[in-house]
Each structure stands twice: as structure tokens, then as C-alpha cells.
Amino acid sequence: MSAMNFIEQIRQRDRVFDFIQPQASSRLDVSHGNILYLEDISVSFDGFKAINNLNLYIKEGELRCIIGPNGAGKTTMMDIITGKTRPDTGSAWFGSRINLLELDEPEIAEAGIGRKFQKPTVFENHLVVDNLELAMAGNKSVITSLFARLSAAQKERIDEVLETIGLKDNKYRLAGSLSHGQKQWLEIGMLLMQNPKLLLVDEPVAGMTHQEMDRTAELLKSLAGQHSVVVVEHDMDFVRSIANHVTVLHQGSVLAEGTMDQVQSNPKVVEVYLGE
Amino acid sequence: MPLLPALRSAILLFIFSIFFIGQASAAPVADETEFKQLLNGFTQKSFAAKANTAQQVATSGHPKAKQVLEAMAESRLYFRKSDQLVVFADKDGRSYVLTDIFSNETLGTFSRREVSKVKTNNSLRAKLGKMVAEIELKHPDASVRLAAVEAMIPKLKEDDADLFGSLIKEEQDESVKKALQFGIYIGYLDSSKKERVLNAIEALDGELEPIVRNKLTSLANNSDDKDIKKAAKKSLKGIESKISIFSNLETIYFGISLGSILILAAIGLAITFGVMGVINMAHGELIMLGAYTTYLIQQAMPNHTTASIFLAIPAAFCVSGMVGIAIERGVIRFLYGRPLETLLATFGISLILQQLVRTVISPQNRTVETPAFMSGSIDINPIFALTYNRLYIISFCILVFIALFFILKRTRLGLQVRAVSQNRSMAKAMGVRSDWVDAMTFGLGSGVAGIAGVALSQITNVGPNMGQSYIIDSFMVVVFGGVGNLWGTLVAGLSLGVANKVLEPMAGAVLAKIMVLVFIILFIQKRPRGLFPQKGRAAEA
Amino acid sequence: MLDKALMNDRLIFDKKTQSFLAILTAVALLVSLLNTFVPEGHILHCSTFTVTLLGKYLCYALLAVSVDLVWGYLGILSLGHGAFFALGGYAMGMYLMRQIGDRGVYGDPLLPDFMVFLNWKELPWFWHGFDMFWFASLMVILVPGLLAFVFGWMAFRSRVTGVYLSIITQALTYALQQAFFRNEMGFGGNNGLTDFKEIMGFDLQSDATRLGLFLCTALALGLGYMACRYIVCSKLGRVAVAVRDAESRTRFIGYRVDKVKLWIFTFSAILAGIAGALYVPQVGIINPGEFNPINSIEIVIWVAVGGRATLYGAVVGAILINYAKSTFTGWLPDAWLFALGGIFVFVTLYLPKGVTGFLNRKQEQLA
């Protein structure tokens, strides 16, 4: 098995060997306190400015909520961070060393950014356990995947996450047969398996009951600290329950930032949300 | 006896010379008997007398004069010994078949001894050639004169140029004058006088007739004179660069016409694939149905080729459009959102349609007649001509394009089509009957394919397999141009057409096609969404 | 119940695979016995013609399995597998051509007949080495493999997907067909390669060679099937299905989708090439007609008829359709294209899971 790994490494001529190269996460330099820097980012689709001169900084270990009306550019911002969309101008850095604009989606995922989509996208034709296995951190090259076997530790980790997301009894069910809320949970579980440094969570509680919401809030809060978490959410109660720091996006740029109370009393925000 | 005709012709000659000296064109001997008597002059032995007679015949203006002199030059002119009648004779084995000069009737077969040839010698033959030419050069009808001048140019000698020089003074018609002047210079190129040659080279500068090029080439290679050589080379260079410009223009013209064909074939697909996102592999067969509609209509009205074509355009639109709607309602609507399955199902339909045509009509190719107004060409200059059929196809393509553009941008249907293609559920919520719009859009795309079939029937054979040869090309055009963009289809079609024709002389037709295909394959990999991609969220759905 | 069925599918030797292997072995043995030991004229005798016909079907089955691997599990609708099949076939055909030696019509010891006919003086460089079986076999794998690799590398890296990919694979096939039609290419132009005499010293017309080829094909099908089965059951197989169902999601959890596609596509092309190489000595000819884009689409329909993403479905579909084709074209030649077209439409509309999927459901309903 290790020989296989070695061959795989030789094959990838664009990388240096593991023992020379620092781990992706250790390449991540957060000594300045911030894990994500978005500076002067603009992007337009056919003349429509989805993101307009956006500046956003996320601290390490922070739990940040981003709110904003529809079309404020929340999802586009996540697309930029994860490499799905390239900005027209501006820079995006992960830590102070990793330039996100130079990486593609798998490289960004590998560097330590995980994302939960607005619409839950799990692999519907796979079992719940497979979904978690696929998301698990580790070498994801073709050859290793071809010969991969789950180790005892990995199996344990999967069970642990299953426990956390409350899908233990559904381990061998097809993900496609889960309810909407369960799919949300499974996706969060996949994020956990990925063990990223930065989690981008797009509308995690849509379609959840109140108890489920509380549990999600609990989970996200527990993640903060070790991980940095960015949550995009419409549900204000939920936002209030988890966030101490909130950013309001409007028309592609930051309108206000601060605690929930500060933000809610900001006249500009009130105007945007309630209209004139 | 033999003296009498000689005397007669001598008298006639005398009369003629009195009457007609200095007259360029004369037609006094319209009278048959007089001309007959004139012909008797050929029965004389002396070549000089025969030359005289020939000269008189030439200036007689009689409609048969040219034929007689030509026959004489070809040694087909004989006289019957029994009655001295001058006739045309054709050898048939050892005997001769005689034909009356005036009535064109066969006078029967005669043995060698019964007839005698009007003998000629070299100098006489040379004179005859010139006389024949002059008959036409002095013909009252300007178009005959022009044709005669043009016929002489390829084997023109310097003396002919002198003849032309005398003719040009009398000539009234501009185009004949021009041709004569051209002939004069051509003749001068062979002159032994340096002055004349140099003048001619200068005057002919930029002429594109092949003969100019040939003569200049031989001068540039073989002339003993350095100045002539130099001048010829210089002039040749100019001509060649001009020729290459025009041959490039021709390539582009061919390319545009091929591009128009591609656009016609692809534009229906641009609607069904581009606007609706439906892969219709039966698109080629819808083109084929349009072509067969043309064929059948022409069969139904065999004597009205032109009318049948104009009738075929709406008919083909309806036939293909109906079949298209049937396909959409019967199959495709169950497969929206599953493009790969649509591809397979419509491919199945294409097989059925092909086989249907094979079974019902015939597996053989059929030809559709081209109406008269589409044949011929506009000659810009000797090496560049715009053929009408290509010109019509190009204009037809432009018309179809404008019509479609108008339908999609300016009509209610177009608005609904665009609405459904952008957001189906929203359009539905706004009260657009998306079912109906789908069917209409598909019908429109298919109908346009039918129209393309009418156009294609004019340039290629109509057969059950014709659709297949266009389907891949059509897809390439749509994909290359960017899906959902009519302009993209236009630009892509034209550029692929031109690229194909530009590569053809370098690499051969098949290899050119392969090169274009490979280029598109590479291009799509570089820009997966074509030349004019859609941007934004919609593009990623 | 559901769990157990699903878990069973994850085993490499699941029930379906077991029965597939059992049937394949049984057919191979039975055919050998009936062909060799039952005398001709006996009602149970299996003629050599039938053996070759079956061999042909098995080649198609292997081809269908290779298509199912990329279409069923990876979501790539390749309309170019006919080309890989034909390339493998041409590589084998070149070997067989060189084996003719001086027994050709023109008796040239080095040049194949068509080159003598075209007045060529020398063997083109790419024909060298094909007199050796090992070299030809290597080429059977390398040529389709390399083409698929280069093509896939460019296509997948620039994220050409869905119907776009299908259409450019079709264009590739079409371009190759046009190229192989040219005499200047040096592959016999229109007529292709034919009049083969022997393979590795065995007479191609003899019953024993025919049976041997059939058995080789059966073995290749079994091995190819198992290789695919291994891939499908590995984590890589699950990644492939993930790519098929939600490509960008797979990317976001860190898989290099382009590489996954590339390697599986290349492997599948190699399988197709092997199928082609086994096909040519049995049918005795290879010509540019094999590149016809229609052939490539037909392969896809075999898979669709049998049932996507099952592997055994591909085998069932390939044999079913080709059996129907042989029967139909002998009986009602005109009707075949109607039937085939009808199958395309019917299967996509009413049997999205193919015949095997339909039967499985019936079985479940009964159980």
C-alpha cells in the first residue's frame, strides 16, 4: 500500500514529495489572525454586478453569519471562495499564503475549505455511509481510490460522525431516500468528515424543524474555535442564536458589520430589509 | 466550255471591283444564281484565279459564303465533272457523298472519277482562313463581330493585328472596339519590333485573360531582348498578384456559400438545441424530408421547375415542421431534462425516417432539377465569376436568418420561447403555455430544417442518407458558435465554411474536413461554451 | 431487506456476477463440447459458423461492457467507442496482414496486396513491427488507450461534459472514418484489411482456430468484466458514480474529477480496443465502415436495452440486439432499421432501466 502511494507521488510530477512538502493545513498561515481575506472583489454576469468591490475578513476560529436580501451576492461570494467562479478583479487569500484564485475546486477543498450547498446535494445513489466515506479527508487520487480499504480508525470516525448527525440508524440507506432535513444533516456530516479549516455553510436550517435547528446551532457553535465557520442564513432567529458577529451584504458589497443588535439597529440595514 | 465560266467570273470581278471598292461590308450577291455562277470560278485550275474567286465569295455577303470557304480550306469542296456544279463532298469509303450547297440536300453517291476536288495550296489556305475571319469581322451584327474577334484571339498573329488595326477605325461598337484593341496588343506581343512589344506589354498590364499570361510567360522566358524580358517579368508579377487576389476572393466566395449551406442546415438545430436544449439527432432527416418534398412536388408538376421550387419552400416547411411537432409531442416531451436519452431516442427516430424513405420512395438517390434562373453566373473578370446558384443560396440563407431573427426577437412566440428557455417554471407561472411553446419552437426549428432541405436539393443529390452527412457538421456549427445564440451560428457557419474552402486546395477536401473537425474538437476543449457563450448563473444550470 | 440487497451489490462477486461467470463458463464449455465431440449433422452439433457467430456476440458484449463502464457509472455518453473498437481491430488486422506474407495475390513478401496495388515501394514506418504478435498486441492496447488518453485529457480538463462531450466524441469518430477512407493513410482505404490467412501460425479457416478464438473471447469477456466489476466496487467506482450524479459536488469535496474520468475512460477504451482485436480475426475483415458513427450509437443502445450501470445488462443487451439483428436481417432486411429505431425510442421512453432492470423489478414484485 505504501508502495502504491509512493508510485502515485512520483506520477504527480507537479507536486513535490510528501516528506518535503509541508501539509496543506500547515501551509495555511494564520499567524496574522485571519483565515480568509477577500479584497476588492468584483464580478459581473453580462453586465450585472453580482459582487461589487467586496471586502471581507474572517478570523481564525470565528463563527460568522452573513445575511442579506436575495441577490445580495451571498452565493456568488461562496462560489468565488470555493473556485467555482472567478472574480473579474480583486484577490482572495486563504491564510496569508494560499492564493485561492490560483487553485481549482479540488485544490481548494484539499487546502481546507469545505462547503455545504444551499440546495442539499448529497450523492443520492450512494448509501449514507458511502457519502461520508467519499467526503473523508485523505489522499483522493485515482490510484489510492482504486485500492482503498477502510481502516478501523476510519470506520470509527464515520460512526462517530453518524452519531453526531443523528443518522446512525440510516447508515445503509440510500442517501436519495432521506428526508430533506436528513439530507441537510448528511451534508453537514460530509463537511465534518472533510475536516476543513474553514466551513462555508449555505442555509443550513432550511426545511428543518425547531429541534433540528437547535441541534444544528449547537453543532455549529461547537465547531467554531477549532474551525472557522461562515454561515449564510435567512432565518434571523437562527442567526441570533449562533452568531456574535454578523455581516450584511447588499448589492454585492458589505453594508454593515457588527453584533446582531448593532446590525439590526443600523438604519441602512433596516431600510434595505424593510424597504422605503 | 471551260472558258465561259472563267470569262464570266472575270466580268463579275470587274463589276464588283467597280461597285464595291473600299466597302467594308457588302451584301449585293444575295441572289442565288449569281452566287452560283461565282462559285463556278472554283472549277478553274489556276490558284490565282481560285484566290480571286474566293475573295469575291468572301465579299459577296452571301449567307453560305463562310461555309463554302471553310469547306474549301478543309478540302471538302468539290465539283461534279458532269455539270461543273460546285458541291460539298464527304468521303465515304472509296466514293463521295455530295451535298448541295444551297439546299443541303444529298445529291447521291459518286465515284472518285465523277468528281474533282477544288485544290488548294498552302498560301491559298492561309488566305482562306483570313477571308473566313473577315466575313464575320465585317458582319453587320455587332455580336457576331465580337464573337469573331474573340474566336481569333487565341491564335492571333501579328498580321491579324494589322487587320484589326484597319478594322478598328471603322468600328462603331464599343465592346467590339475594345476586343479589337486587345487583339492588336496580343498580336503585337509576337512582333519582331521591340517598340511594339514593349508598348503591348505596357498596354496589357493587369489584364487577366489567360492568353496574356501565357504569352508574357513565354516572353519572360524566351525573349532574346533584355528589356522585353524585364518588362514581361514585371508585368507578369503584377498579373499574378492580381490573380492570386481574385482566386482568394473566389475561395472566400465558395467558403461563404458553403458556410451558408452549413448555416441553413444548422440554424434549425440552433433553435431546437440552443433555445430548447434538446438534442435532435433526427434533424438531418428533417432536412432530408424537406429535400424529398421538393423532389415530389417537382414530380407532380414536371413542366414548371421554377414554380415547383417556390411551392416547395412553404411545403417543405410544413412537412418537416409537422413531423417535428409530432416528434416533440410523441417522444421528446417525455424526456426534457434528460439530454442524453433525448439524443438516443431521436437517433432512433432518424433511423425510422430514413428507412421509411427507403421503403416508400426508393433507396436510390434522386436528382432535383435546378430552375433556369439559378444557372449561369456573373462574370466579374476572366478568372472570377459569381455563379448564380451559390449566390441564390447565400441570399436565401440571409433571408431565412433574418426571418428567424425577427420571429425570435419581435414576435410574441419569440418572447415566449425565450421566456421558457430561460426559466420554464417562471414562464409557466406567468401564464405561458409552455407545452404549446415547446411544440411550436420545435416545429419552427424543424420547419427551417425542411427549408434547408429545399436549398440542399439544388446543390446535391437527394437521398435517404443525405441527412446524416449534415448532422455532424450542423452540430459542430451550433456548438462552435455557442449554444443559444443565432449570431454565433451565423459566425460559426461562415467561418467554418471559409476555413474548409481555404484548407481544401492545400490539403484536399477530405483532409480539410478532418482538419476542421479536429480544430473544433480542440476549440471546444479550450472554450467549452463556444464563441459566444452565455454567462452567469443560467449558463451553469 | 433493502440493506442486504444493497450490501450484496458491493461485493465484487455478488450474485449477479456469480451467475454471469457461471453462465459464461457453461456456454464456453458446452459450445466446445458440442462443436468438437458431437458429429456434424447431429441435432446437437454446434457448427463452426455458430461458434464464430457466438464469438462475435461476445466481442460485442465486451465492447458493451466497456461502454457501460463509462456511461453507466461515470455518466460519459461516449459516441466514440466504435472508434476505439475499430482501432484495436486495425492493429490486429495489420498483424494478420503481415502474416499473409507472400501468399497474397501479388506475392510480395513484404508489402500487403493493397500497397502493391497502389504502387508503393516500401512499407510505411507505422507498419513495422506488426509482423510480431506481441508488438501488435501491445498496439491493440496502446493505440486506443493513447487516443482516449490524449482526447480525454484535453476534454475533461476543460470540463467538456454532457451532450457536448457526446458530440465531440462523435466528431472524432467521424473524422477518423474520413481519414481511414483515404488510401494515402496506408490502411487499405475503402476496402480495409482482409484476406487473412493465419494467426500465430494457426489457419484462420480451421475449426480448431475458430473455437480457440471463441474461447479467447469468452476469457477476455470474463476478465474484462471482472476488471470493471473491481473498479465499480472500489472506492474509485463510488467516486465515479458521485461524478456521474453530482460532478461539481465531487469536486468540492476534493476529488480531481478530470483524472477520475480520464483513467476510467482510457481503461474503457482499451477494453473496446481488445474487443475489436478479437473481433477482426473472427469476421475476417476490418474496414473504415467500423468507424461509422452509427455503430457507436448502436453500442450505446445495446447498453440501454440491457440496463445501464449493471455490467451484466450490457452483455445481455449486446447479445439480445445482435441476435435480433442477425435474425431480422435474414428474414426481413427492410424491417430491421424500423425495429432498431423503434427500440431506441421504446427503451428510452418506457424501459429506462433496460430489460434487466424490468425483470429485476418484476422479480421483486413477485418476491
Side-chain angles (χ1 to χ4, degrees), chain B residues 154 157 205 297 434 440 456 467 540:
Chain B
K157 293 281 167 305
D205 194 42
I297 287 181
S434 68
M440 285 301 114
L456 284 179
E540 282 161 33

Side-chain angles (χ1 to χ4, degrees), chain C residues 40 80 103 112 133 143 185 191 210 213 240 247-248 251 275 277 299 323 348 358:
Chain C
E40 229 167 292
R103 283 167 294 179
F133 186 74
V143 173
M185 278 287 284
N191 304 319
R210 292 283 172 132
L213 283 169
E247 178 167 336
S248 69
R251 234 179 240 129
I299 307 166
Y323 177 72
T348 42
F358 178 76

